């Protein structure tokens, strides 16, 4: 079955520092991959999605970028973090065991920018 | 544009009582609708989906949802609530742009009291 790994689980970074969050998927191939951000423990905002290696679509203008160097690897980055980048970042894949059109989520990475 | 609305920030229910978490949708065409649950500091877990067919959909952990086209609703229900059902619940609709992107509601916090 599919498993999504995210790391680090928790991260505290100063304003202006760089960021790299990693997501890897096991147990499937050629998934669509997604990065969501959840602010203040509530709503989910889709940041990026990818349908294949090197193919990234950005949903909202922001301080972040994403890359997909391998089929099952999805990376969220920033060159200089802002306070507003704090949040809970969730990676998701749509090739899980629950069938078509269903997203499977990783456990998340909590980022605090000070 | 596709959207879902969850009108209640929080729902409180006593253990053993039936529960309902409300969701209404706004779509053009036939909707693909989903419910997810999020426990504290975790990723989202899939509960159930409606694609087509029977309007009453049964999902994980005894939850079910009823698709009501005339009322554009997809409320989540459970006949008898458990304290362990306390969590954040998200309704979602699939975007109609030939991707598998999900558009999430703002979430409803369910609190089940013993």
């Amino acid at each position: 079955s599919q498993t999504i790994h995210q790391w680090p689980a928790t991260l505290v970074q100063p304003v202006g520092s760089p960021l790299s969050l990693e997501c890897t998927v096991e147990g499937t191939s050629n998934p669509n991959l997604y990065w969501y951000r959840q602010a203040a423990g509530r709503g989910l905002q889709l940041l990026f999605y990818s349908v294949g290696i090197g193919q990234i679509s950005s949903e909202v203008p922001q301080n972040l970028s994403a890359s997909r160097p391998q089929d099952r690897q999805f990376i969220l980055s920033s060159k200089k973090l802002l306070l507003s980048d704090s949040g809970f970042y969730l990676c998701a894949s749509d090739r899980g065991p629950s069938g078509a059109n269903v997203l499977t989520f990783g456990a998340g990475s909590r980022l605090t920018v000070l | 544009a596709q959207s879902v609305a969850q009108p209640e920030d929080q729902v409180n229910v006593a253990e053993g009582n039936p529960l309902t978490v409300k969701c209404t949708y706004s779509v053009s065409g036939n909707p693909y609708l989903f419910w997810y649950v999020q426990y504290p500091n975790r990723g989202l877990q899939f509960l159930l989906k409606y694609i087509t067919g029977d309007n009453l959909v049964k999902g994980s952990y005894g939850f079910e949802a009823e698709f009501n086209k005339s009322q554009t609703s997809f409320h989540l229900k459970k006949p008898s609530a458990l304290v362990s059902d306390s969590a954040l619940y998200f309704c979602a609709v699939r975007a109609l742009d030939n991707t598998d992107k999900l558009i999430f509601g703002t979430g409803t916090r369910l609190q089940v009291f013993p």
Side-chain angles (χ1 to χ4, degrees), chain A residues 31-35 48-57 67-68 74:
Chain A
N32 293 336
L33 296 175
Y34 306 82
W35 277 112
F48 301 95
Y49 73 95
S50 170
V51 299
I53 296 173
Q55 301 179 63
I56 309 294
S57 294
S67 62
R68 187 169 176 176
F74 203 23

Side-chain angles (χ1 to χ4, degrees), chain A residues 36 38 42 94 100-101 103, chain B residues 34 36 38 49 94 100 107:
Chain A
Y36 284 86
Q38 185 177 25
R42 291 305 293 269
D94 67 353
N101 303 300
L103 293 185
Chain B
F34 304 80
Y36 284 80
Q38 184 182 31
K49 66 179 178 181
R94 183 188 172 192
D100 289 328

